[in-house]
Amino acid sequence: MDFFSFVEGPLLWLAFLIFIIGSLIRAAMFLSVSTKKDKIIYQHFSWKYVFATLVRWILPLNKDLAKNPVFSILGYIFHICLIIVPIWYASHITLWEESRFEWSWSSIPDEMADWMTLIFLAIVIFFLLRRIFSADIRLISTFSDYLLLIVTALPFLTGYFLTHGTLDSIGFLGDNMQLLHMLSAELMLILIPFTKLSHYILFFFSRGASGVEFGRRGYSI
Amino acid sequence: MSQEIMEFLKPRMGARFRMWLNICAHCGLCANTCHYYTANDNDPKMIPSYKVRFLKEILRKKGKVDKDYLQRVYDTVYYECNMCRRCTLYCPFAIDIALMISLLRALLFSQGIAPEGLVKAIENYKEFGNQMAVTDEDWVETVKWCEEEMAEELEGLKIPIDKKGAKMLYTVNAREPMFYPQDMMEVAKIFHVAGEDYTYCSKPGWDDTNLSMFCGDLKTSRMIVENTFKRADELEVEQVAITE
Ligand code: HEM
Ligand code: HEM
Ligand code: SF4
Ligand code: SF4
């Protein structure tokens, strides 16, 4: 098996499995440790507060919009692109159709995927510049904050190069863009459970736990 | 010392603490929600997320930190955060910075590091059941004296002590009998005129401050609250009123 087939086959499987199982383990670990060491959450548990706080923060109905409108709105757009493009991009869906699962669902127009990719990349650049040039954010940024921002952006960057043949004239890069795209996507998927990117699932537990704690005291949640 | 630090932290590192240290996006949305940040000309060192870096560091170093380091932790957790929890209201993950600061204060307390005034108050709570070291006799005498003084002004005024079945157990800050008995007198006047059915208790439980909480000394905190509940049960009151 050549390297390409490996990346296209076994490594892709591995990446998806690590992503899915790793995420489930993160969630399970939180549940099992918290039932022993964070009993307060369960003693006062209320779906009402959990639900209320999740709705307010998944939808743009929260306090940050007024306090930090620019960053909040960019944060929302960032995540919308990040979730919509890989799942509803037509060529990706074609790959699922051709796979052993033969799954299929409707797609977004290619032009829209293009724009969302560019917008996403622009926001990443803004986030990076902000980390580098804002004294506040620079102080709290760690190496992994920069790295993960780039790791998240690479599948978009390589995906865009791939569809547009932007770098096709540059020998190695031109010939291997699909390989690079798959590798970057796999790297991202693999890193999710082990890094702060696990927030995509722990978000629900963190907000939920604090929602219970703050809600019962009548604070805003 | 590193072993003691880890022994203290391990059983207390709940799932939430670990999760929060892990998922904080270092996005800085909490920065301008902290009054220490805004009051210090937007000093980046006052960003809530930055203040809890100590917890992450101590865990990473497996507790191997020296006295100087703990002193720096002390300066931050006591003088740069008052555990008000406002930042949590604006954090997209609702990360409870104050809870982590409280854990760090508790860690320092376990290593004998805490503000002198709080340490003294904790000794007093343990020995006398109140932060000002007022003895039971002095306390009852003060209440009686207040009653006598006020009865001159408002005829028939009584300040009930240990009145079983009263509607409300009324508690005070222990500084009141020590330094501001006039506050207790004013309250007595209001209750008298309003015809409120209340009572003080003669035994520990009447001080409603809980300064040990500020050191993360949860054992003493618990004792203080339990005292009040015990008195409330004994006196069969319906409510406990606290002045603070
Ligand atoms: C339901 C899913 C998700 C939720 C609720 C969520 C929530 C958040 C929140 C609240 C932040 C902090 C600041 C901001 O608003 O930008 C954030 C930042 C971030 N998220 Fe997500 N996220 C989700 C999924 C993901 C996924 C799947 C990834 C990537 C694999 C991701 C990558 C990032 C990155 C890289 C940042 C940091 C941006 C920066 O450096 O400032 N998120 N996310
Ligand atoms: C590992 C599995 C993945 C495979 C095999 C894959 C495959 C592909 C292929 C073949 C294309 C180009 C299609 C064409 O030339 O018409 C593409 C484009 C793209 N992919 Fe992926 N992809 C994967 C994961 C991801 C992930 C995880 C993301 C984002 C987080 C992503 C983002 C994109 C983007 C943004 C484009 C270009 C869209 C545009 O410019 O219109 N891909 N992908
Ligand atoms: S707002 Fe929350 S996630 Fe962002 S830096 Fe502050 S504590 Fe971390
Ligand atoms: S809890 Fe501490 S860090 Fe957060 S806003 Fe209050 S003082 Fe600032």
Side-chain angles (χ1 to χ4, degrees):
Chain A
M1 186 189 288
D2 62 3
F3 188 57
F4 189 90
S5 322
F6 171 70
V7 172
E8 192 184 35
L11 192 59
L12 188 57
W13 271 99
L14 196 70
F16 265 104
L17 285 177
I18 290 178
F19 165 61
I20 294 167
I21 296 173
S23 301
L24 290 177
I25 290 177
R26 286 304 292 258
M29 261 168 53
F30 176 83
L31 288 173
S32 88
V33 177
S34 65
T35 43
K36 288 183 209 92
K37 292 189 175 173
D38 304 73
K39 293 205 182 90
I40 190 99
I41 307 171
Y42 302 99
Q43 282 161 358
H44 297 277
F45 194 83
S46 152
W47 280 111
K48 186 177 95 187
Y49 298 133
V50 173
F51 190 69
T53 193
L54 287 176
V55 168
R56 285 189 59 193
W57 286 80
I58 289 171
L59 304 176
L61 301 172
N62 57 69
K63 280 169 157 320
D64 276 343
L65 246 26
K67 189 97 180 155
N68 284 302
V70 175
F71 186 84
S72 298
I73 291 168
L74 290 181
Y76 274 103
I77 301 175
F78 171 95
H79 283 90
I80 290 170
C81 298
L82 177 61
I83 292 165
I84 302 272
V85 176
I87 300 180
W88 283 280
Y89 175 49
S91 302
H92 280 179
I93 299 176
T94 311
L95 294 174
W96 285 106
E97 285 164 353
E98 289 165 359
S99 74
R100 70 167 68 199
F101 300 105
E102 297 181 18
W103 287 338
S104 182
W105 56 93
S106 52
S107 62
I108 53 169
D110 280 358
E111 199 175 332
M112 185 169 155
D114 264 5
W115 277 109
M116 287 177 89
T117 303
L118 290 175
I119 292 169
F120 179 86
L121 290 171
I123 295 176
V124 168
I125 290 170
F126 173 77
F127 281 179
L128 270 178
L129 292 177
R130 180 172 171 270
R131 278 204 191 281
I132 295 167
F133 291 110
S134 150
D136 283 7
I137 315 301
R138 189 171 54 234
L139 182 70
I140 55 176
S141 294
T142 60
F143 173 72
S144 85
D145 292 324
Y146 294 99
L147 182 80
L148 291 173
L149 206 43
I150 291 168
V151 164
T152 320
L154 277 179
F156 283 84
L157 193 65
T158 53
Y160 191 82
F161 288 160
L162 188 60
T163 42
H164 294 76
T166 322
L167 303 179
D168 277 2
S169 54
I170 309 178
F172 176 80
L173 287 179
D175 299 338
N176 294 292
M177 197 47 77
Q178 183 155 9
L179 184 70
L180 293 175
H181 180 62
M182 289 191 293
L183 279 173
S184 63
E186 286 158 1
L187 178 68
M188 187 189 92
L189 288 172
I190 290 170
L191 285 180
I192 288 175
F194 304 103
T195 61
K196 72 167 187 182
L197 296 184
S198 57
H199 73 256
Y200 91 92
I201 186 150
L202 294 178
F203 166 88
F204 298 91
F205 295 100
S206 182
R207 276 230 78 86
S210 293
V212 169
E213 169 78 358
F214 280 52
R216 75 188 172 92
R217 291 166 190 273
Y219 304 164
S220 84
I221 50 175
Chain B
M1 190 162 72
S2 68
Q3 201 184 335
E4 291 161 28
I5 289 181
M6 288 320 277
E7 266 167 28
F8 180 85
L9 280 182
K10 272 222 178 100
R12 290 172 178 78
M13 277 308 289
R16 283 177 297 170
F17 292 135
R18 290 190 187 280
M19 168 173 70
W20 289 332
L21 293 177
N22 224 299
I23 65 173
C24 171
H26 299 131
C27 64
L29 279 170
C30 49
N32 62 358
T33 67
C34 175
H35 49 287
Y36 285 88
Y37 176 86
T38 48
N40 285 288
D41 298 325
N42 298 353
D43 181 354
K45 288 201 281 301
M46 298 297 159
I47 297 177
S49 163
Y50 186 65
K51 295 173 201 169
V52 295
R53 71 190 179 285
F54 292 118
L55 187 55
K56 204 170 181 171
E57 269 174 22
I58 293 171
L59 288 169
R60 198 182 57 226
K61 293 179 178 161
K62 303 217 158 35
K64 288 194 193 65
V65 294
D66 54 19
K67 276 263 172 226
D68 278 354
Y69 183 90
L70 291 183
Q71 183 59 43
R72 273 191 290 135
V73 178
Y74 176 85
D75 291 340
T76 290
V77 299
Y78 276 102
Y79 300 108
E80 295 172 4
C81 173
N82 65 346
M83 312 195 292
C84 73
R85 284 180 149 177
R86 186 163 190 264
C87 45
T88 305
L89 304 181
Y90 291 88
C91 168
F93 299 125
I95 293 176
D96 202 335
I97 300 290
L99 219 52
M100 293 193 266
I101 296 285
S102 175
L103 178 68
L104 283 168
R105 287 193 186 187
L107 170 68
L108 293 179
F109 186 69
S110 77
Q111 304 301 306
I113 305 170
E116 229 173 279
L118 287 182
V119 173
K120 183 75 199 142
I122 288 175
E123 281 167 19
N124 290 342
Y125 281 121
K126 285 182 180 160
E127 194 175 342
F128 301 95
N130 65 80
Q131 57 149 306
M132 300 301 300
V134 179
T135 61
D136 291 354
E137 294 80 56
D138 282 351
W139 160 245
V140 171
E141 218 163 90
T142 307
V143 176
K144 289 205 167 126
W145 174 72
C146 289
E147 183 182 71
E148 280 161 26
E149 291 285 306
M150 283 293 97
E152 283 172 20
E153 217 176 288
L154 278 175
E155 215 173 311
L157 180 143
K158 290 262 178 262
I159 303 186
I161 305 181
D162 291 341
K163 180 181 165 199
K164 224 174 164 153
K167 187 161 142 250
M168 160 179 42
L169 171 63
Y170 183 67
T171 62
V172 297
N173 181 330
R175 297 182 73 83
E176 291 179 42
M178 273 302 267
F179 302 121
Y180 316 108
Q182 60 273 29
D183 288 3
M184 293 167 61
M185 296 180 197
E186 299 297 335
V187 165
K189 247 193 320 196
I190 294 171
F191 280 160
H192 175 74
V193 175
E196 192 61 59
D197 181 19
Y198 76 109
T199 181
Y200 281 109
C201 60
S202 62
K203 282 187 277 161
W206 53 263
D207 178 6
D208 53 30
T209 64
N210 202 327
L211 299 182
S212 45
M213 198 174 73
F214 296 111
C215 296
D217 176 5
L218 299 184
K219 224 162 131 187
T220 309
S221 277
R222 181 183 179 128
M223 179 203 83
I224 296 167
V225 176
E226 276 178 349
N227 276 344
T228 302
F229 273 87
K230 228 184 289 169
R231 299 293 95 84
D233 277 346
E234 283 166 9
L235 297 174
E236 294 164 15
V237 295
E238 285 169 35
Q239 300 168 324
V240 176
I242 59 177
T243 48
E244 287 211 319

